[in-house]
Amino acid sequence: MPSAIEIRALADREGRLALRATPNASADAILLPSQAGGLELLVRTTATAEGGKANEAILRLLAHALGQPVSSIQLVRGETGRTKVVRIGQPRG
């Protein structure tokens, strides 16, 4: 899993982070764009896309990777699509 610093480096000045979601994956994982071959952070989750379960799992994975509460991460765009934009809050400190 990439470090919080590596993930934060992908966000813009407003804390927005583009990602590509893969629900129903064989394992939960976060991959940097260079590892995934794309431009967005790739987030894989074992959760299904039904009823927003995958979105919730993605936010939890990101929060864990960043070492901050889930409430500090907000889904801005892409609720029903695979390409999403989230806003990450400031690190605790």
Side-chain angles (χ1 to χ4, degrees):
M1 185 167 309
S3 71
I5 294 170
E6 291 172 313
I7 295 171
R8 285 189 180 285
L10 298 171
D12 66 11
R13 283 186 276 159
E14 286 80 36
R16 292 179 304 225
L17 178 66
L19 59 92
R20 179 131 177 106
T22 302
N24 299 317
S26 59
D28 291 335
I30 298 176
L31 299 171
L32 294 173
S34 60
Q35 295 171 305
L39 298 175
E40 303 106 352
L41 187 69
L42 180 62
V43 182
R44 297 179 180 163
T45 179
T46 57
T48 181
E50 296 173 356
K53 292 177 186 173
N55 287 336
E56 291 171 16
I58 287 167
L59 295 180
R60 280 194 313 273
L61 279 169
L62 282 172
H64 177 73
L66 294 168
Q68 59 189 73
V70 177
S71 60
S72 68
I73 301 174
Q74 175 187 16
L75 182 62
V76 176
R77 187 171 54 229
E79 187 173 322
T80 60
R82 289 188 59 180
T83 302
K84 302 180 183 300
V85 175
V86 296
R87 179 173 291 119
I88 54 178
Q90 296 298 317
R92 288 192 267 179

